[in-house]
């Protein structure tokens, strides 16, 4: 993979080109990720759901949602672009689009826009961001913002409305809380811990989080824990009892009920089904000794959520 990253703090963007290979496990990071395959389709598990992206279709998503490339034709040319969440929020895109993205809705290019040379744009951003030219970095920022603004407009059919400063501040607060959850969900975090990051009163933080992201703080914690448990079930030999502790659940019953509700099957059935479909993952992933150590360090979550 030929990765070219900026060497200037003006943008902190990263763009590179290479050939993808299927991932043996899902991962997450706090950037907005933009992908483009020029010659063949890509198949992802995004938030536990299958997503097929045709060749030539630009797709953007919040990479804090667990994602995994599971199918790609060998030697497929592909571009990646990572936009730091702070940079993305600073562009003040329409709030409805930002909320949708942070709720886990990928933004995908309208097929009618396929005449656009997205591969050419990504190539130019890759080259410009590899230089020390601050002005080129600023130009890239402007061009990337414009492309994502158009992508958002097209993905939601243009029905976005306009931004209000207060609405944008709410989105930023919710994003910061979601970032904290993504980094600390294995720990015994409470609503009070999460609200202190912003900082806001816990009751107001819960209300704002639900308004912006369409889910509760407790539900988001559960989603992160279940996503991590899915990864461990597929990529390690850890017993389910150890996985429960490693991902931060306080009880076996809450884990089983949450897992069955979100995944549609029991953890054991899920493990068997995905092992039979993806045999290459059986020996991949987290080292079991490391996961066991994590489980020993993790205690049940405290607070009113009862998770």
């Amino acid at each position: 993979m030929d990765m070219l990253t900026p060497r200037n703090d003006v943008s902190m963007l990263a763009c590179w080109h290479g050939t993808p290979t299927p991932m043996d496990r899902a991962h997450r990071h706090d950037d907005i990720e933009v992908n483009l395959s020029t010659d063949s389709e890509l198949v992802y598990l995004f938030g536990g759901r299958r997503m097929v992206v045709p060749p030539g279709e630009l797709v953007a998503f919040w990479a804090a949602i667990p994602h995994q490339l599971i199918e790609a034709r060998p030697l497929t040319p592909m571009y990646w672009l990572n936009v730091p969440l702070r940079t993305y929020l600073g562009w003040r895109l329409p709030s409805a689009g930002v909320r949708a993205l942070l709720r886990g809705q990928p933004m995908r290019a309208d097929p009618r826009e396929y005449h656009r040379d997205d591969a050419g744009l990504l190539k130019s951003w890759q080259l410009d961001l590899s230089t020390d030219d601050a002005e080129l970095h600023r130009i890239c920022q402007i061009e990337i913002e414009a492309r994502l603004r158009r992508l958002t407009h097209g993905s939601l059919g243009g029905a976005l409305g306009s931004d209000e400063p207060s609405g944008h501040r709410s989105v930023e607060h919710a994003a910061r809380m979601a970032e904290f959850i993504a980094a600390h969900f294995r720990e015994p975090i409470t609503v009070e811990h999460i609200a202190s990051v912003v900082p806001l009163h816990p009751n107001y933080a819960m209300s704002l989080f639900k308004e912006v992201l369409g889910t509760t703080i407790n539900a988001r914690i559960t989603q992160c824990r279940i996503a991590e448990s899915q990864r461990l079930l597929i990529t390690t030999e850890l017993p389910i009892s150890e996985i429960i502790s490693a991902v931060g659940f306080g009880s076996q019953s809450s884990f089983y009920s949450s897992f069955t509700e979100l995944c549609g099957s029991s953890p054991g059935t899920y493990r068997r089904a995905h092992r039979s479909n993806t045999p290459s993952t059986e020996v991949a992933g987290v080292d079991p000794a490391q996961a066991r150590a994590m489980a020993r360090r993790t205690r049940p979550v405290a607070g009113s959520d009862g998770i």
Side-chain angles (χ1 to χ4, degrees):
M1 181 182 297
D2 176 22
M3 182 172 182
L4 298 177
T5 57
R7 295 195 293 269
N8 186 290
D9 290 338
V10 171
S11 64
M12 295 304 295
L13 301 165
C15 186
W16 64 98
H17 177 263
T19 56
T21 56
M23 302 160 63
D24 60 9
R25 59 188 182 274
H27 74 159
R28 58 168 67 85
H29 44 93
D30 286 334
D31 309 277
I32 304 302
E33 183 169 333
V34 181
N35 292 166
L36 176 71
S37 168
T38 57
D39 290 354
S40 67
E41 73 177 20
L42 303 172
V43 183
Y44 297 84
L45 283 179
F46 182 76
R49 294 178 173 83
R50 184 181 175 91
M51 178 175 72
V52 180
V53 181
E57 180 177 296
L58 197 71
V59 59
F61 53 87
W62 188 28
I65 309 295
H67 56 285
Q68 176 182 1
L69 180 66
I70 59 174
E71 294 179 29
R73 193 180 69 190
L75 302 180
T76 294
M78 181 173 171
Y79 286 94
W80 292 263
L81 170 68
N82 282 2
V83 180
L85 184 60
R86 294 285 172 219
T87 301
Y88 175 77
L89 293 175
W91 289 338
R92 297 185 178 274
L93 302 181
S95 291
V98 175
R99 290 191 186 101
L101 197 72
L102 298 184
R103 286 172 180 168
Q105 177 181 333
M107 299 294 175
R108 302 175 64 167
D110 189 319
R112 292 170 297 182
E113 294 189 358
Y114 280 178
H115 67 279
R116 298 183 180 279
D117 185 15
D118 284 324
L121 283 173
L122 284 156
K123 182 177 181 179
S124 69
W125 298 335
Q126 176 195 15
L127 295 173
D128 290 345
L129 291 172
S130 69
T131 72
D132 293 315
D133 191 324
E135 182 61 19
L136 284 179
H137 290 194
R138 293 188 185 94
I139 292 169
C140 286
Q141 273 198 311
I142 294 168
E143 292 175 345
I144 293 168
E145 175 188 348
R147 185 62 188 98
L148 290 185
R149 189 176 290 273
R150 182 179 290 277
L151 178 66
T152 303
H153 183 83
S155 294
L156 298 185
L160 295 178
S162 60
D163 251 346
E164 294 293 336
S166 59
H168 180 79
R169 178 60 63 86
S170 296
V171 169
E172 184 173 359
H173 285 334
R176 288 178 63 189
M177 289 189 283
E179 286 177 320
F180 183 84
I181 292 170
H184 298 280
F185 66 86
R186 299 176 185 85
E187 304 166 14
I189 55 175
T190 66
V191 170
E192 288 74 18
H193 290 146
I194 296 163
S196 68
V197 173
V198 183
L200 294 171
H201 187 279
N203 290 340
Y204 181 67
M206 288 190 293
S207 175
L208 184 147
F209 194 93
K210 177 66 180 295
E211 177 187 352
V212 173
L213 298 184
T215 188
T216 66
I217 287 177
N218 293 336
R220 182 63 185 154
I221 294 171
T222 299
Q223 290 165 0
C224 288
R225 290 173 176 167
I226 292 298
E228 178 69 356
S229 71
Q230 290 174 291
R231 185 179 72 82
L232 292 174
L233 285 167
I234 296 174
T235 63
T236 77
E237 300 295 341
L238 279 175
I240 292 175
S241 60
E242 294 189 21
I243 290 175
I244 292 172
S245 295
V247 302
F249 272 94
S251 72
Q252 188 177 78
S253 60
S254 62
F255 170 74
Y256 272 86
S257 61
S258 297
F259 191 98
T260 302
E261 179 182 355
L262 292 177
C263 302
S265 68
S266 70
T269 300
Y270 181 89
R271 172 176 263 174
R272 288 190 296 272
H274 284 76
R275 288 295 178 85
S276 63
N277 290 335
T278 55
S280 63
T281 66
E282 291 187 14
V283 296
V286 171
D287 175 45
Q290 293 178 342
R292 287 190 178 94
M294 181 186 298
R296 287 194 295 270
R297 294 195 302 269
T298 308
R299 300 186 302 278
V301 67
S304 59
D305 58 9
I307 297 173

